[in-house]
């Protein structure tokens, strides 16, 4: 078992890396654990245009690389491994990872969320064979092909706009008449000649042979069923918070961790920041701010325990 750390942060997205930078300022012995690549949800953003300090649009990948570089340059230690379990151990926590057992006085969960699935027949079978949850990752494989996007929020609109630069045959399928994305994004989608909207529509089946060939649409108003041919389906219908390590901490009805203004969960010493908590506004800048608050709160918690 490794020596006990002051703080372990799980997740190296905007929330986790921001927390790490502020934890260093608090002189906390800090470790960041990331299962995949640093950046989190920032990696799938096509163009980031609303983060302070960037006068020109920046790709999510570039932004993520800058965040990671800044953190490492300041001395943040990032370990690439997966966390298997997290438990209370006296006044601290013990964490089992693929690279051994670790202990910490406090934990910040910045684990983010994972894409929500449609849960319709054919989705699992064609995942990776036409069904995807990341346009910037898989979009280039379908250049000049028929592409369908499902969803009506910011992510669906943003990714549809990105995909419209790869193909002139983009469809957006969404329930209801209007889209729920920010007005500016919706206007861009509606003005884009390469994007066609399918309102009041629901995908009820995905089919093909070796690869995806079509999806079955159901009209919410008439109940009419039709087949919509497509070579790729990109799903952006929301996300599921990754709370597997939360040890029974209180959650809201959507499964997100409940915290107070200090990012404290219902378990002393366990903090949460970013999309894993019940944040009122899912934005990168918000996640970064929450990470900073969580780091400061973790430092206060550690100091208070040292006084007893």
């Amino acid at each position: 078992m490794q020596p006990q750390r002051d703080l372990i942060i799980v997740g190296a997205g905007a929330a986790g890396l921001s927390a790490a930078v502020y934890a260093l300022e608090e002189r906390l012995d800090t470790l960041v654990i990331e299962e995949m690549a640093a950046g989190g949800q920032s990696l799938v953003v096509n163009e980031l245009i609303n983060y302070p300090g960037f006068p020109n649009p920046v790709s999510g990948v570039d932004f993520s690389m800058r965040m990671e570089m800044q953190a490492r340059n300041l001395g943040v230690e990032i370990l690439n491994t997966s966390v298997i379990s997290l438990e209370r151990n006296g006044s601290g926590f013990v964490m089992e990872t693929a690279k051994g057992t670790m202990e910490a006085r406090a934990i910040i969960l910045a684990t983010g969320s994972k894409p929500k699935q449609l849960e319709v027949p054919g989705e699992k079978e064609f995942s990776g064979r036409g069904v995807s949850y990341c346009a910037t990752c898989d979009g280039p494989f379908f250049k000049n092909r028929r592409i369908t996007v499902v969803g009506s929020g910011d992510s669906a609109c943003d990714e549809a706009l990105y995909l419209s630069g790869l193909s002139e045959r983009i469809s957006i399928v969404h329930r209801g008449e209007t889209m729920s994305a920010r007005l500016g994004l919706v206007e861009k989608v509606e003005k884009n000649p390469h994007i066609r909207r399918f309102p009041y529509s629901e995908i009820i089946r995905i089919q093909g042979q070796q690869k995806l060939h079509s999806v079955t649409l159901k009209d919410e108003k008439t109940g009419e069923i039709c087949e919509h041919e497509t070579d790729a389906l990109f799903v952006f219908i929301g996300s599921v918070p990754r709370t597997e390590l939360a040890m029974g901490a209180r959650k809201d009805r959507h499964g997100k961790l409940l915290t107070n203004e200090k990012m404290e969960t219902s378990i002393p010493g366990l903090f949460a920041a970013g999309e894993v908590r019940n944040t009122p506004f899912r934005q990168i800048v918000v996640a970064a701010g929450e990470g900073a608050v969580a780091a400061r709160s973790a430092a206060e918690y550690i100091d208070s325990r040292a006084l007893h």
Side-chain angles (χ1 to χ4, degrees), residues 36-63:
M36 307 294 285
Q41 292 297 314
S42 304
L43 289 168
V44 301
V45 175
N46 176 33
E47 282 192 343
L48 185 61
I49 61 174
N50 57 3
Y51 197 91
F54 289 83
N56 298 312
V58 59
S59 73
V61 172
D62 187 29
F63 181 78

Side-chain angles (χ1 to χ4, degrees), residues 89-101:
N89 181 27
S91 61
F93 298 86
V94 60
M95 178 182 291
E96 294 292 339
T97 78
K99 293 186 178 179
T101 303

Side-chain angles (χ1 to χ4, degrees), residues 1-302:
M1 184 179 295
Q2 298 184 13
Q4 187 183 49
R5 301 268 186 163
D6 290 328
L7 176 66
I8 293 179
I9 300 167
V10 187
L17 291 177
S18 175
V21 168
Y22 279 84
L24 288 184
E25 290 193 354
E26 297 288 344
R27 300 295 188 267
L28 297 181
D29 179 12
T30 302
L31 174 68
V32 177
I33 295 180
E34 172 56 54
E35 185 177 25
M36 307 294 285
Q41 292 297 314
S42 304
L43 289 168
V44 301
V45 175
N46 176 33
E47 282 192 343
L48 185 61
I49 61 174
N50 57 3
Y51 197 91
F54 289 83
N56 298 312
V58 59
S59 73
V61 172
D62 187 29
F63 181 78
S64 299
M65 290 175 61
R66 294 188 190 191
M67 280 197 302
E68 181 182 9
M69 185 183 302
Q70 178 195 36
R72 289 188 184 275
N73 288 347
L74 290 172
V76 171
E77 182 182 353
I78 303 174
L79 176 65
N80 287 110
T81 189
S82 56
V83 179
I84 300 169
S85 65
L86 177 65
E87 296 179 356
R88 266 288 194 180
N89 181 27
S91 61
F93 298 86
V94 60
M95 178 182 291
E96 294 292 339
T97 78
K99 293 186 178 179
T101 303
M102 303 174 188
E103 288 187 320
R105 293 180 173 86
I107 301 289
I108 295 177
L109 293 182
T111 44
S113 60
K114 55 187 176 182
K116 186 180 293 184
Q117 298 185 350
L118 290 169
E119 297 184 355
V120 299
E123 183 174 18
K124 291 182 179 179
E125 292 83 348
F126 290 99
S127 180
R129 294 191 294 151
V131 175
S132 175
Y133 306 87
C134 176
T136 52
C137 307
D138 299 324
F141 295 112
F142 299 97
K143 190 173 183 179
N144 298 322
R145 307 291 293 276
R146 300 167 300 182
I147 299 175
T148 301
V149 173
V150 57
S152 68
D154 287 2
S155 295
C157 288
D158 187 56
E159 302 292 21
L161 290 167
Y162 163 73
L163 291 167
S164 70
L166 301 175
S167 173
E168 297 182 357
R169 294 178 289 176
I170 308 296
S171 303
I172 291 189
V173 175
H174 63 89
R175 295 178 173 180
E177 179 181 5
T178 60
M179 305 187 76
S180 61
R182 300 194 311 271
L183 182 58
L185 277 176
V186 175
E187 290 177 346
K188 287 182 180 180
V189 166
E190 292 178 338
K191 292 178 181 178
N192 192 305
H194 301 157
I195 300 175
R196 179 186 177 191
R197 285 201 304 131
F198 286 80
Y200 298 111
S201 297
E202 176 185 6
I203 293 177
I204 59 173
R205 184 179 296 275
I206 300 169
Q207 52 261 334
Q209 294 181 354
Q210 292 300 112
K211 296 181 179 180
L212 174 66
H213 175 265
S214 64
V215 297
T216 300
L217 300 182
K218 179 180 180 181
D219 189 297
E220 290 184 327
K221 296 174 68 176
T222 66
E224 181 181 353
I225 304 293
C226 69
E227 185 174 341
H228 178 72
E229 294 186 355
T230 188
D231 299 299
L233 175 66
F234 289 90
V235 181
F236 304 106
I237 57 171
S239 58
V240 179
R242 302 186 64 180
T243 60
E244 297 87 353
L245 301 174
M247 305 184 303
R250 291 181 59 232
K251 303 173 186 177
D252 67 10
R253 62 188 181 89
H254 301 293
K256 296 186 176 184
L257 294 176
L258 289 168
T259 74
N260 60 17
E261 69 278 3
K262 290 186 174 183
M263 305 298 134
E264 294 174 310
T265 70
S266 58
I267 296 176
L270 182 66
F271 302 83
E275 290 192 10
V276 72
R277 70 173 290 270
N278 62 329
T279 181
F281 192 34
R282 293 174 59 244
Q283 293 289 302
I284 295 172
V285 68
V286 175
E290 290 179 356
V293 173
R296 174 58 182 164
S297 300
E300 291 178 345
Y301 170 80
I302 292 170

